[in-house]
Amino acid sequence: MKTLFFISCLVFSMPSFSAKYGANKIQTLKWNDLEVVWIQDERFPTYALSVYFADGALSDSAGEKGMTSAMFNLLTSGTRRYSQKDISDNLEFYGASYGPNTTHEYSTYSVGGLVKDSIPTMKKICHLFQDATFPKKEISKEKKRALEGIKNMVDSHGALARRAFRQISLEGSPYGYPVSGKMKDVRGITQNRLSKKLKYFNDEVKKRIYIAGPKEVLNLERVIAEDCKWTGKGSYVRKTEYEPIKSSKKAQIVLVTVPKANQAQVRIGRFLNRGEYEKRELLSLASEFLGGGFTSKLMRELRVKRGLTYTVGAFAAGQKGYGRAGISTFTKNETIGELLEVTKSTIDQIVAGEFPDHEFERSRGSLSGSYPFRFEVTSAYLSQLQFLDHIGAPYDELYQFQERVNKMTREQISQVVGDIFGWEKQTVVILGSPKLAKTLKKKFGKVRIVSYKNFL
Amino acid sequence: MKRTLSLLGVILILGLTSCSNNTKEATNPSGKMGKLGKLKLSLDVKKFTLNNGLRVLIVENHRLPIFSYYTFFDVGGRFEGPGTTGATHFLEHMMFKGAKKYGPGKFDSIIESNGGSTNAYTTFDSTVYYQNMPSHTIDTIIDLEADRMENLLLEKVAFDKERDVVLEERKYRYENSSRGKLYLNMMQRMFEGTPYGLSVIGSVEDLLTLNRDQMFDFFKKFYTPDNAIIVVVGNVKASDVMSQIKKKFGDLKPSSDEIKAYKKEKDNDSLYVAKPKWGKHFKYHGNSKNAIFMMAYRGEPLGTRKAYVMDILSNILGSGSSSYFYQKYVKSKSPLLNKISVSNYNLQKNGVFFIGGELRSRTNLDKFRRTLQRETKSVCSKGIDDRGVQKTKNQFLVSYYGSVQDNAGVASFIGSTEKYYGDYKYYEKELEIYDSITTEEVIKVCNEVFSGNQQVFVSVWDRHKKVKGN
């Protein structure tokens, strides 16, 4: 009791206002009509730059899935003037980091390094965007490598479970297909298709530049205009229309079989339609309460009380056009039934409001108190601004986060956990030994069984 | 490994002195590190040592209302004996399970309810605990850490539950991961018969039989103030932190002479002289569809000049897509590999230098092994030049700037340097060493590493026979 009181005192002694850490260091600029967001950071002679493209893997039509991701990844495979070796040697000489990230809705290309080398580095990156030829020999080698990588996913049950879970739980939506495609898609990558995709992103897609670093990084304006030739003309922004996915009335159990697996990977979750994921702070708190950190409900029930798993986590979050909720954990084959049962009963208890106040206070304190850490690393700060721009939310949402979390109640958490994580609405994917089928059928009746190969 | 203890320091200083001239001096126009090693660095670390031997390092950084608190214990897997492998790591888990003042469940609760985070890691040479916290909790964190250093409960029920958790972790990280299995077996083959030939996670047999009394004995031996270093970085007032640490840790007793003698025994260099079965190929069954391998060579302990040269050598040969081996085997006209990397792992008492990779499905494993062995005979003259050395130095510089962007990075760097070299300022010396390394020296060391047939080849593949116990 004494300790609980103590915890409460600590939680309530935190500042009740949300400081706008670093907000005065943010500037929005226009470079040749291109929007630029700059966080000035004079602490280090380094910079981080990210080019945001307002389209992603959803631009890949049926016959060319995975093409956007492949195009960005293969930009360094060669240009008319330089070979792959020349390009990588040049960029690595500066110690630069560079590379893409493709999501369904948008893509980014990030570059970082020493400010003094930012101009030659960025000139080289622009050269790739303007002059990449995707040489056939290089593409052929990379396709083989990609195929072997996908085939060998059987060696990483966690990654395989993530991939299968996405496809199964997002079935019927445009977002279930892997961004990088499947093996059959890799075979369809061609020089011509890659070049067309690059042209599309260069000419038509809306771009925005995000930079963190000292004032010298602004010298990149000329490089972006003259070498990348990017202006504000590209205006296409991906929009997606889809029929809302209906919630199931009974949990769907799917066993993805991997021969001889001695551990069961478990993913539980579902697709979130428009109208379900917009209250971002509330979803964050529900996830935190259910499966955030070492003190979450599921961590206490599964690991601390029963030793069923090494780790468990939960998330519920939205992108621009859709959202996802999920619980991720694993256990030994023998305890899969118990793990699922405890997970279900934990969710049920939260929905019924059967949890002490101090547990709720702890989660709320955790989320609220972690607020300043979001501003510690400038490149991470920049990523948050980029995401807010992507979804069309004001930056104030970031600064109001703490205040909004502090106002949330335990009743709201019960409600949102029920709405989002209610057991009957979930798709439960277990990736493991075919032998698990017996236990699962006994427990749940109907179980859909598919081989992991369906997801490669 | 070493790199995190070396150049990191440079960056750290540059970071904390923000607008000082140091930053400007680092930015010469040629893309080279140049005279980086000669910078006059002025890291404002306040260092104290209590009468009981506890060392404390504090750096004030008032940018945000947060701090990081690290505790380094000079104990790791190498201090275990036969039958108790995994005890250090298991104990690390139990350190979160309650002490006398803050009982079961309180440690995590207090930290997380305030928006903080906590975790720990165990290596062969050290055990490190850390918290990232809002500033107003500093006194509480000091109290929590003092409580568990002095009065750990090690409750039986929690002990038994956590044993299951550690076994699941073992399965996840090593048994079911081909890469984990490869690394574990490479280390065991290279250091067979020495404390580094055991495993930090522990054998299943030992984990199943380890009892609470053995662990408590281990705790009493090593969790003493003279065996620890506390590092606090962030929005704190050094004098206040110091007085609070004195109050909470000042009365803890240092190690007894008996334990000091035991540690001295465990530190005896002769225990770490390994005699691997050179030239052998050890095969293990795993899930990987493509064979993965490590070809390992004798390495160097932390701190020798040769160890720094080997850092540069490993980077030139196998870091990044322009590196020598990557171009030779992954990007060539007929690639033999999907992946390759080269690592230099320096432990406190020994080290290992290894090439690791994944074969293409049509590459013959034994044939490739012979090809790679042949290649190592000529790589030193073909693969190392001035540009490669300079490129490596440039890369080191950038990567360490990235490592000290937050309080935790700074705390980790200072604490590691203090722990391994007895002086957090040792980075200055390290920097001079890196700066002075020439291409000729890298070639010389390269020839030493690859001369003779002193390598151990370990592979994991789903086509290797499954043998009981691996």
Side-chain angles (χ1 to χ4, degrees):
Chain A
M1 194 61 202
K2 200 171 147 191
T3 314
L4 291 180
F5 173 72
F6 180 66
I7 292 170
S8 302
C9 289
L10 279 173
V11 173
F12 288 116
S13 65
M14 288 187 299
S16 58
F17 60 91
S18 298
K20 289 186 172 185
Y21 299 114
N24 59 340
K25 301 283 183 192
I26 300 170
Q27 283 188 43
T28 47
L29 313 164
K30 283 270 182 181
W31 286 358
N32 212 3
D33 227 18
L34 192 69
E35 292 170 38
V36 176
V37 178
W38 170 45
I39 301 182
Q40 185 172 6
D41 185 351
E42 302 286 343
R43 291 174 302 151
F44 302 98
T46 56
Y47 73 103
L49 180 147
S50 173
V51 187
Y52 164 88
F53 298 88
D55 201 355
L58 289 176
S59 69
D60 299 338
S61 56
E64 57 163 30
K65 293 286 183 194
M67 202 62 64
T68 298
S69 169
M71 181 276 287
F72 279 114
N73 278 311
L74 294 171
L75 276 174
T76 50
S77 58
T79 66
R80 270 171 290 187
R81 281 168 63 195
Y82 299 107
S83 68
Q84 179 278 333
K85 188 183 177 185
D86 296 335
I87 294 164
S88 59
D89 180 66
N90 190 271
L91 290 168
E92 287 174 10
F93 184 81
Y94 295 124
S97 58
Y98 55 97
N101 178 37
T102 306
T103 73
H104 284 82
E105 296 182 340
Y106 66 94
S107 311
T108 57
Y109 202 94
S110 302
V111 187
L114 297 176
V115 174
K116 70 182 177 63
D117 298 325
S118 60
I119 289 182
T121 302
M122 202 58 213
K123 272 178 175 278
K124 182 65 80 181
I125 297 292
C126 291
H127 174 67
L128 301 181
F129 272 93
Q130 290 304 310
D131 210 34
T133 53
F134 305 106
K136 281 183 183 170
K137 281 184 185 171
E138 285 299 323
I139 302 310
S140 167
K141 278 187 277 182
E142 287 306 316
K143 277 165 68 173
K144 279 182 194 155
R145 206 152 74 96
L147 286 170
E148 295 206 354
I150 298 176
K151 213 170 176 181
N152 208 25
M153 281 185 90
V154 67
D155 190 35
S156 174
H157 291 188
L160 197 52
R162 264 197 307 280
R163 191 173 168 98
F165 175 61
R166 178 170 195 109
Q167 187 170 334
I168 296 166
S169 65
L170 272 53
E171 224 159 41
S173 83
Y175 304 98
Y177 208 82
V179 159
S180 54
K182 293 186 175 187
M183 288 173 77
K184 62 177 182 188
D185 305 306
V186 172
R187 293 189 187 104
I189 294 171
T190 63
Q191 186 182 39
N192 190 32
R193 285 174 163 176
L194 291 166
S195 299
K196 274 187 187 167
K197 186 62 85 173
L198 175 58
K199 188 170 174 10
Y200 166 70
F201 273 86
N202 265 329
D203 296 347
E204 295 177 43
V205 178
K206 183 178 172 66
K207 299 160 201 72
R208 210 177 288 116
I209 308 270
Y210 293 83
I211 315 180
K215 203 172 179 183
E216 293 99 296
V217 290
L218 299 183
N219 294 332
L220 287 172
E221 177 175 5
R222 215 170 132 186
V223 179
I224 297 290
E226 291 177 5
D227 295 76
C228 282
K229 300 184 174 36
W230 288 330
T231 66
K233 279 183 188 167
S235 60
Y236 182 79
V237 176
R238 172 62 48 185
K239 286 184 190 73
T240 317
E241 295 303 323
Y242 58 90
E243 287 297 313
I245 309 291
K246 284 182 187 166
S247 284
S248 58
K249 288 178 182 164
K250 195 181 171 199
Q252 310 293 305
I253 313 294
V254 185
L255 173 63
V256 178
T257 56
V258 179
K260 295 174 191 166
N262 68 353
Q263 215 168 28
Q265 289 284 338
V266 178
R267 304 287 183 275
I268 303 165
R270 71 183 187 90
F271 182 84
L272 303 180
N273 290 300
R274 287 196 176 95
E276 288 189 297
Y277 58 81
E278 287 79 358
K279 290 182 177 169
R280 281 175 278 277
E281 297 88 354
L282 198 52
L283 292 187
S284 296
L285 184 54
S287 310
E288 180 76 22
F289 187 60
L290 189 61
F294 285 100
T295 58
S296 70
K297 288 295 286 183
L298 286 172
M299 189 64 114
R300 288 283 201 236
E301 295 298 327
L302 297 175
R303 175 171 162 165
V304 180
K305 286 190 191 167
R306 295 173 180 85
L308 289 171
T309 187
Y310 170 59
T311 187
V312 60
F315 69 92
Q319 293 288 318
K320 191 173 171 184
Y322 77 112
R324 293 185 73 194
I327 294 166
S328 170
T329 185
F330 59 83
T331 191
K332 56 188 169 208
N333 288 343
E334 298 79 11
T335 49
I336 182 66
E338 188 184 356
L339 179 127
L340 292 174
E341 199 173 295
V342 175
T343 303
K344 179 184 179 305
S345 64
T346 304
I347 293 169
D348 290 347
Q349 281 168 13
I350 297 171
V351 176
E354 293 166 4
F355 54 86
D357 280 343
H358 71 84
E359 287 185 356
F360 169 69
E361 298 291 352
R362 189 170 63 214
S363 281
R364 192 171 58 177
S366 175
L367 203 58
S368 166
S370 65
Y371 174 70
F373 290 96
R374 303 177 79 165
F375 307 95
E376 194 177 13
V377 178
T378 311
S379 56
Y381 192 165
L382 200 65
S383 297
Q384 295 175 83
L385 301 183
Q386 184 176 281
F387 181 72
L388 289 169
D389 283 338
H390 169 66
I391 61 172
Y395 292 168
D396 258 1
E397 184 169 312
L398 178 61
Y399 305 120
Q400 287 166 3
F401 180 85
Q402 193 175 35
E403 233 171 298
R404 289 186 186 177
V405 168
N406 284 340
K407 284 178 187 160
M408 287 171 191
T409 64
R410 52 174 289 147
E411 288 73 23
Q412 282 177 294
I413 290 308
S414 290
Q415 176 73 41
V416 80
V417 168
D419 290 346
I420 302 295
F421 290 102
W423 184 260
E424 69 288 352
K425 298 173 186 171
Q426 305 305 308
T427 301
V428 180
V429 175
I430 299 111
L431 184 133
S433 165
K435 290 177 186 167
L436 295 174
K438 200 176 164 187
T439 315
L440 295 170
K441 280 180 180 169
K442 198 174 165 189
K443 202 160 195 60
F444 300 103
K446 196 178 167 190
V447 177
R448 186 174 140 202
I449 301 172
V450 278
S451 163
Y452 78 93
K453 290 179 183 169
N454 288 284
F455 303 96
L456 299 183
Chain B
M1 179 72 180
K2 165 116 35 87
R3 280 168 16 197
T4 53
L5 304 176
S6 49
L7 279 174
L8 190 58
V10 183
I11 315 318
L12 166 69
I13 307 346
L14 293 175
L16 294 177
T17 51
S18 60
C19 298
S20 74
N21 288 334
N22 294 344
T23 306
K24 299 295 179 195
E25 281 182 64
T27 59
N28 67 63
S30 62
K32 296 180 179 180
M33 276 173 72
K35 296 180 178 178
L36 192 61
K38 290 172 188 164
L39 284 173
K40 288 179 183 173
L41 306 173
S42 53
L43 178 59
D44 191 15
V45 178
K46 294 185 172 60
K47 181 175 172 179
F48 308 88
T49 305
L50 301 191
N51 290 335
N52 57 16
L54 177 69
R55 280 175 281 169
V56 183
L57 306 174
I58 305 170
V59 178
E60 293 188 19
N61 172 14
H62 301 290
R63 187 173 155 252
L64 287 163
I66 52 179
F67 68 93
S68 292
Y69 185 110
Y70 273 60
T71 309
F72 292 77
F73 284 100
D74 187 21
V75 60
R78 74 182 172 93
F79 292 89
E80 295 158 358
T84 59
T85 61
T88 321
H89 170 253
F90 194 166
L91 174 58
E92 174 225 294
H93 278 230
M94 291 306 296
M95 287 289 283
F96 293 89
K97 298 290 169 187
K100 192 175 168 187
K101 182 173 176 185
Y102 299 97
K106 302 291 184 289
F107 192 90
D108 294 339
S109 296
I110 291 170
I111 284 169
E112 291 191 359
S113 62
N114 284 285
S117 60
T118 180
N119 215 327
Y121 62 87
T122 307
T123 70
F124 275 114
D125 295 318
S126 66
T127 310
V128 182
Y129 298 85
Y130 55 90
Q131 292 87 36
N132 301 306
M133 299 298 301
S135 307
H136 65 91
T137 62
I138 181 66
D139 290 351
T140 310
I141 295 301
I142 293 169
D143 201 26
L144 280 163
E145 285 291 14
D147 185 37
R148 69 176 178 173
M149 195 193 286
E150 188 179 14
N151 298 308
L152 190 67
L153 289 181
L154 281 181
E155 283 191 339
K156 183 159 182 351
V157 176
F159 182 84
D160 290 338
K161 291 284 174 216
E162 205 58 24
R163 190 198 309 273
D164 288 342
V165 171
V166 173
L167 285 166
E168 278 310 291
E169 182 185 356
R170 188 184 198 283
K171 210 185 276 180
Y172 173 69
R173 287 194 197 282
Y174 300 102
E175 293 167 42
N176 290 349
S177 160
S178 295
R179 282 170 211 296
K181 189 181 277 189
L182 179 68
Y183 170 75
L184 200 65
N185 283 297
M186 183 276 289
M187 290 295 285
Q188 289 181 341
R189 292 301 180 180
M190 281 300 288
F191 296 109
E192 210 166 349
T194 80
Y196 290 139
L198 304 170
S199 70
V200 174
I201 190 80
S203 71
V204 173
E205 296 74 28
D206 289 354
L207 289 169
L208 287 170
T209 54
L210 190 74
N211 64 47
R212 189 213 172 253
D213 291 343
Q214 286 172 307
M215 187 179 281
F216 199 68
D217 183 50
F218 207 79
F219 170 74
K220 282 285 170 200
K221 258 186 195 151
F222 295 107
Y223 282 63
T224 51
D226 52 325
N227 207 37
I229 301 161
I230 293 172
V231 187
V232 184
V233 179
N235 185 37
V236 295
K237 194 173 168 193
S239 55
D240 291 352
V241 170
M242 205 46 233
S243 72
Q244 197 64 15
I245 285 178
K246 266 183 201 162
K247 193 172 146 192
K248 298 292 177 181
F249 289 88
D251 293 335
L252 302 191
K253 286 181 186 159
S255 312
S256 65
D257 289 344
E258 187 193 347
I259 287 164
K260 280 177 186 159
Y262 176 84
K263 274 199 73 180
K264 203 174 169 188
E265 199 182 299
K266 282 282 179 187
D267 275 339
N268 188 333
D269 289 346
S270 66
L271 289 178
Y272 300 88
V273 178
K275 290 180 184 165
K277 290 172 180 150
W278 298 125
K280 284 260 185 189
H281 180 181
F282 298 97
K283 299 175 179 180
Y284 298 90
H285 178 82
N287 293 327
S288 186
K289 294 276 180 201
N290 296 337
I292 56 173
F293 72 91
M294 281 180 180
M295 190 153 89
Y297 297 82
R298 196 186 291 287
E300 283 285 302
L302 275 168
T304 68
R305 181 170 177 93
K306 192 173 171 181
Y308 295 99
V309 181
M310 286 164 81
D311 273 347
I312 294 180
L313 175 64
S314 65
N315 200 77
I316 292 172
L317 296 183
S319 179
S321 56
S322 67
S323 63
Y324 181 82
F325 280 136
Y326 194 88
Q327 285 295 324
K328 176 95 190 166
Y329 294 120
V330 179
K331 299 303 289 187
S332 56
K333 279 184 183 170
S334 306
L336 297 175
L337 302 179
N338 286 321
K339 294 171 188 167
I340 192 163
S341 63
V342 181
S343 307
N344 180 38
Y345 182 20
N346 310 122
L347 293 140
Q348 205 163 348
K349 296 287 178 181
N350 208 331
V352 56
F353 185 92
F354 57 97
I355 305 167
E358 178 189 306
L359 269 68
R360 286 222 163 181
S361 56
R362 290 184 184 175
T363 305
N364 178 290
L365 179 60
D366 285 323
K367 207 171 156 188
F368 174 73
R369 182 184 159 221
R370 288 194 294 273
T371 303
L372 185 58
Q373 280 169 359
R374 269 198 309 276
E375 183 61 30
T376 57
K377 303 298 172 204
S378 57
V379 67
C380 306
S381 55
K382 289 191 295 186
I384 297 156
D385 56 17
D386 291 344
R387 183 174 171 86
V389 173
Q390 189 59 62
K391 179 163 68 176
T392 296
K393 291 180 180 179
N394 295 346
Q395 289 175 354
F396 282 10
L397 180 62
V398 176
S399 68
Y400 290 113
Y401 272 114
S403 304
V404 289
Q405 300 269 324
D406 54 10
N407 292 329
V410 175
S412 176
F413 163 68
I414 306 174
S416 299
T417 314
E418 179 72 23
K419 194 261 177 218
Y420 289 109
Y421 302 107
D423 179 8
Y424 72 89
K425 284 185 188 163
Y426 192 77
Y427 63 83
E428 289 169 355
K429 177 73 182 162
E430 286 196 311
L431 193 63
E432 283 172 22
I433 296 169
Y434 272 126
D435 220 22
S436 68
I437 291 170
T438 62
T439 306
E440 290 69 32
E441 197 174 2
V442 179
I443 293 171
K444 181 174 167 278
V445 166
C446 178
N447 282 318
E448 286 170 14
V449 171
F450 294 126
S451 65
N453 190 30
Q454 295 209 323
Q455 46 78 24
V456 167
F457 197 92
V458 183
S459 64
V460 174
W461 198 8
D462 71 347
R463 292 193 206 169
H464 287 333
K465 271 188 193 162
K466 199 168 188 178
V467 180
K468 206 178 172 189
N470 75 52

